[in-house]
Amino acid sequence: MALVFLSLIPGAASAQWTQLPGPQGTTLKQIAVSSASTIYGLDTGGVLYKWNGVGWDRKGCCVSTISVGSDGELWATNPPDSMRVLRWNGSQWTWNMPTGMKQVTVANASTIYGLDNGGKLFRWNGSAWDQKGCCVSQVSVGGDGELWATNPPDSLRVLKWNGAKWTWSIPTGMTYVAVGNARNVWALNGADQIFKWSGSAWSQVPGALRNISVGNDGTVVGVNSTGGIYRYNGSGGAPALPDQATIEALFPRNVRFAAGENCQAPASKDQKTGVALYYVGPHPRNPDRVLASFALLFRQDCGHAGHSGAHGAESHPGDAEYFYYTLKQDASCSKGWRIHAMKTVAHSGDYKRREINERILDSCDPPGEVVSSLGKHAVYLSWLDCTKRTPAEVCLNSFSAGYNLYNIGTGPGQGPNLAQLMAQNGQSNGQDKVWPADGDGRFCGGQVVGNRADCVGAPGDKMARKAGWQGDEWELPDPDLGGSHSCPYGLENSAGLCYKGCDPGYSGHATMCIPGCPSGFRDDGLYCFKPNSYGRGAGYPWKFGDSLNDSGMYRRCENDHGAGNCEKNGAIVYPKCKQNFHAVGCCVCSPDCPSRTTDIGISCQKHTYDRGVGCLP
């Protein structure tokens, strides 16, 4: 999205910034942020890197500037190379776009702007650049299409695009502007001071900054003058935590079960109103986010393909299955909180068979449902995820149930391990662990952090004593999830729709699966442009004095090129083409086309295939 960079962060402001490690052996000069999980960096040599959560993975080379959209769409420019404009295809840069731009700024795959050397603004229409306006020095577009610009030569002007022209009612004084969306606009002045737009004025943020990038989710990352990389944490204090009413409002509207479920799901006498425990605390990987962990409780697990009358493999009394939210404060949401991401974990036995589903929700409203399978309980993000998991899980038709929520921990002092909290807080005077006892949603187990719940039927309740709670492995959800995680398990996102993944060696582009090009070939989308051909000379024709056969021609050729390295074409013998080249006519050696392509002369046409129609995430 937007680009602007960090100078040295003074100590007084350091609480507002978290330092990230840099790539080994090099220094980043530029950052491009889509979200907290999609962060790219460009080093001083033009090499592209991507943040993996703990470090940087090298991706490609070599460009001058980069910009990434809210959907992960990544473009670049390389003015020294004929004003080249490039697009990242997931594995390498492609350069079949018209040239002429010194900078590009990307909102998403359908909203891309470019700026030429004369300050003229262009928008990409899918095949060409359409001029829109003039004249500015630097532009930045947010994930929602909000487009701003600066023009330092014109009194440090700051401008905003109204859809047809630049407007300049914004206070001046800035040399760079960085836009995440209409609510997240940052700017840098000539003294390396950094500001954030309040909606009516610039508010200074402590720190001296050189360049910074703002994501659509509000993530701010920058680089200082020595290559140190920093992420903005807001005020530096722990985020406020949502209260019980907010958590209840954000809980899924339905918990859905497979029809025929008779393994006490949910854990209540009438199987209509279940019990869910939750923990809320600061997210350990992202200090300005909140982690909400939920445990759905079950009276028993009947095992694979089992039922209450005949248990299957891995059956046991009592069960708990988890899912997680990453939350962020958002005043535009009626509840004051936005569900940024959601994660579920399904497993069997000792976790050798596991399935993790993660999805960006980016929603003020809760998901419509989470889904549990029949017999051997698991939690899935959608019915589509569940129905694919047969025969280990069975998902046939369904019914839904409401849940009552109970808080078992709040704040960083408890630690994020929900399984341990359930075990610790569920034990009192030798009683069994936390377990629901009746359809009104109350549960046994004594003291529970934040609540005091009495067991209907008293501590001697048979079910509570016999349940023997089974704890799942703790799974820490990422604070932000990107790209393919916005689709059900096994599918990947392309241009906002979910598709079946392509075969190895292919990359997905909407309905098409397209192979890549090998090293040395230029990737032109549906073609691989060949490296240079070469000539193999005039050859070795028959001469007077030769025998009346080809032996003389071959002898002279092999004296120069080695035995077995010559061949006849027409009436003349030529040296054979080098490995991975083939003869075209008498005298030219052309590069061989890679597998999955057809030779059409100067290029190789790729063999693509259709992977079917996409579905909505």
Side-chain angles (χ1 to χ4, degrees):
M1 219 128 318
L3 303 174
V4 190
F5 282 110
L6 273 190
S7 185
L8 185 64
I9 303 296
S14 61
Q16 297 193 15
W17 302 89
T18 297
Q19 186 168 8
L20 305 178
Q24 290 187 346
T26 189
T27 301
L28 294 187
K29 68 174 184 178
Q30 183 181 349
I31 296 285
V33 178
S34 170
S35 67
S37 66
T38 305
I39 301 171
Y40 289 94
L42 198 65
D43 76 2
T44 53
V47 177
L48 178 70
Y49 291 84
K50 186 176 182 182
W51 177 248
N52 62 22
V54 294
W56 297 90
D57 297 327
R58 178 175 171 143
K59 292 297 181 181
C61 189
C62 296
V63 295
S64 299
T65 68
I66 54 176
S67 179
V68 64
S70 59
D71 56 357
E73 184 81 4
L74 179 64
W75 286 47
T77 60
N78 197 19
D81 182 16
S82 305
M83 302 295 289
R84 183 79 66 187
V85 179
L86 308 97
R87 178 178 179 271
W88 186 251
N89 69 4
S91 59
Q92 61 186 354
W93 292 115
T94 61
W95 51 82
N96 55 335
M97 276 74 66
T99 60
M101 301 300 150
K102 71 173 184 179
Q103 183 206 345
V104 288
T105 182
V106 182
N108 50 53
S110 62
T111 306
I112 299 157
Y113 291 93
L115 201 65
D116 72 4
N117 271 334
K120 293 189 288 291
L121 178 72
F122 294 81
R123 182 169 178 175
W124 179 247
N125 66 15
S127 60
W129 294 104
D130 296 329
Q131 186 175 349
K132 294 295 181 180
C134 191
C135 293
V136 295
S137 299
Q138 175 256 340
V139 290
S140 177
V141 67
D144 56 358
E146 185 84 358
L147 179 64
W148 288 46
T150 60
N151 196 19
D154 182 16
S155 304
L156 296 172
R157 185 78 67 188
V158 180
L159 307 98
K160 181 179 177 182
W161 186 253
N162 69 1
K165 61 182 181 180
W166 291 116
T167 62
W168 49 85
S169 58
I170 310 297
T172 61
M174 305 300 163
T175 55
Y176 292 94
V177 67
V179 183
N181 52 49
R183 301 183 305 277
N184 284 287
V185 180
W186 296 60
L188 177 69
N189 70 10
D192 283 357
Q193 294 172 312
I194 195 158
F195 296 82
K196 185 176 181 182
W197 181 245
S198 69
S200 59
W202 294 110
S203 299
Q204 187 173 353
V205 177
L209 311 178
R210 175 169 294 179
N211 205 307
I212 203 167
S213 178
V214 186
N216 185 52
D217 65 349
T219 299
V220 181
V221 183
V223 178
N224 71 10
S225 58
T226 61
I229 306 163
Y230 294 87
R231 182 174 61 202
Y232 186 65
N233 298 327
S235 64
L241 298 177
D243 58 18
Q244 170 103 10
T246 300
I247 292 296
E248 289 177 352
L250 295 177
F251 193 77
R253 297 186 184 95
N254 287 299
V255 178
R256 190 169 292 278
F257 297 93
E261 174 66 63
N262 56 8
C263 293
Q264 310 299 334
S268 63
K269 289 181 178 179
D270 60 8
Q271 297 196 44
K272 293 181 181 179
T273 305
V275 172
L277 309 181
Y278 76 91
Y279 164 89
V280 178
H283 200 294
R285 292 184 184 169
N286 193 332
D288 64 345
R289 303 293 169 88
V290 165
L291 173 64
S293 306
F294 300 89
L296 305 181
L297 304 187
F298 300 84
R299 288 177 180 244
Q300 64 180 7
D301 186 320
C302 292
H304 297 313
H307 53 82
S308 60
H311 290 188
E314 300 178 359
S315 64
H316 54 82
D319 198 13
E321 300 292 346
Y322 301 149
F323 67 91
Y324 313 94
Y325 288 159
T326 295
L327 303 175
K328 61 182 292 187
Q329 287 183 294
D330 189 335
S332 68
C333 296
S334 62
K335 306 170 190 68
W337 290 87
R338 179 178 294 273
I339 305 175
H340 176 71
M342 182 177 177
K343 177 173 185 172
T344 63
V345 181
H347 70 88
S348 293
D350 59 359
Y351 313 107
K352 290 180 179 178
R353 180 198 166 275
R354 307 173 66 205
E355 178 181 321
I356 297 173
N357 287 289
E358 301 175 311
R359 189 170 304 161
I360 291 288
L361 297 185
D362 193 28
S363 174
C364 296
D365 299 314
E369 63 184 22
V370 291
V371 175
S372 180
S373 59
L374 175 67
K376 183 63 184 171
H377 300 132
V379 176
Y380 296 95
L381 285 170
S382 72
W383 200 248
L384 175 62
D385 295 324
C386 184
T387 54
K388 293 188 303 176
R389 310 323 306 167
T390 56
E393 276 84 47
V394 181
C395 307
L396 301 172
N397 303 313
S398 64
F399 70 93
S400 61
Y403 267 73
N404 289 328
L405 289 174
Y406 289 87
N407 178 13
I408 66 165
T410 300
Q414 292 291 337
N417 194 322
L418 182 59
Q420 291 180 6
L421 284 171
M422 290 179 66
Q424 293 168 1
N425 295 313
Q427 296 180 16
S428 176
N429 300 321
Q431 296 178 26
D432 288 85
K433 299 173 183 178
V434 173
W435 207 254
D438 212 337
D440 66 356
R442 297 183 181 184
F443 53 89
C444 298
Q447 180 69 36
V448 177
V449 177
N451 281 295
R452 185 95 183 166
D454 297 322
C455 177
V456 175
D461 181 277
K462 182 178 181 181
M463 181 191 68
R465 288 186 286 107
K466 298 295 185 183
W469 175 80
Q470 303 286 321
D472 281 17
E473 180 181 40
W474 168 252
E475 286 290 337
L476 182 66
D478 291 333
D480 299 277
L481 311 166
S484 61
H485 291 308
S486 61
C487 294
Y489 179 81
L491 304 183
E492 63 182 29
N493 191 299
S494 179
L497 294 178
C498 300
Y499 297 88
K500 178 183 176 182
C502 293
D503 294 338
Y506 287 78
S507 60
H509 300 268
T511 61
M512 296 178 66
C513 287
I514 304 175
C517 297
S519 176
F521 286 73
R522 190 181 76 203
D523 196 321
D524 288 340
L526 296 178
Y527 302 89
C528 295
F529 188 85
K530 292 182 179 182
N532 290 334
S533 300
Y534 69 92
R536 53 179 179 172
Y540 298 83
W542 185 87
K543 290 184 176 181
F544 286 105
D546 286 349
S547 301
L548 297 178
N549 54 35
D550 300 335
S551 61
M553 296 186 290
Y554 272 100
R555 182 177 63 256
R556 290 191 298 278
C557 180
E558 291 183 344
N559 283 341
D560 291 340
H561 299 282
N565 292 327
C566 297
E567 63 184 7
K568 188 177 180 182
N569 187 292
I572 300 175
V573 171
Y574 296 89
K576 291 181 179 178
C577 293
K578 295 184 294 187
Q579 187 176 8
N580 299 323
F581 283 76
H582 63 275
V584 178
C586 68
C587 314
V588 175
C589 291
S590 175
D592 294 338
C593 283
S595 60
R596 302 190 293 264
T597 66
T598 297
D599 196 322
I600 58 171
I602 63 171
S603 283
C604 308
Q605 185 174 10
K606 296 180 181 180
H607 298 166
T608 64
Y609 71 89
D610 194 301
R611 57 176 172 173
V613 178
C615 62
L616 291 173

